[in-house]
Amino acid sequence: GLELSHCVGTNSLGPAGPWRSGGPCKMKRVRTVFKPEQLERLEQEFLKQQYMVGTERVDLAATLHLTETQVKVWFQNRRIKWRKQSMEQKAAKLSQFGVIQPASADSTDSKDHQEDTVDVEL
């Protein structure tokens, strides 16, 4: 879930604090590990639609016992993965026909790409 781990870099003398020379306590977010059933349902929904918003997202999160933010970030990361796979398939097809694609070519819309580059794991 959305748990925060204890202070990063603590030692055996006790917890780190802002008064210590080590600086303030830095909290690290714990990565969400999705259950296979949750992933299967998320993938099914992604096949239907790649953008999950509003009440649909709230309902799906409740059904899967996840937070709305976890569902939102999963969809963002899944869209990035989908685009990457699409680009790789396109490049493979072009290479089959001997067409060489420049490495800097990027056909994604900059607005969509910017929105979806959120690489947050909850």
Side-chain angles (χ1 to χ4, degrees), residues 21-77:
S21 61
C25 177
K26 293 187 178 187
M27 300 302 276
K28 183 179 177 187
R29 199 173 290 152
V30 176
R31 184 174 190 254
T32 300
V33 179
F34 295 99
K35 295 175 184 171
E37 303 82 36
Q38 291 171 324
L39 287 172
E40 187 178 334
R41 178 67 189 277
L42 288 164
E43 288 287 351
Q44 286 174 359
E45 294 300 324
F46 185 80
L47 289 174
K48 292 180 197 172
Q49 57 186 19
Q50 290 154 0
Y51 287 85
M52 178 70 61
V53 294
T55 56
E56 292 175 329
R57 184 166 62 206
V58 172
D59 293 343
L60 181 61
T63 301
L64 298 176
H65 306 291
L66 297 169
T67 66
E68 187 180 352
T69 303
Q70 287 172 313
V71 172
K72 179 185 85 165
V73 171
W74 186 90
F75 268 82
Q76 288 172 336
N77 290 335

Side-chain angles (χ1 to χ4, degrees), residues 5 11 19 27 32-33 46 60 64 84 103 116 121-122:
S5 66
N11 58 30
W19 58 90
M27 300 302 276
T32 300
V33 179
F46 185 80
L60 181 61
L64 298 176
K84 184 179 176 186
D116 287 341
E121 295 181 341
L122 299 173

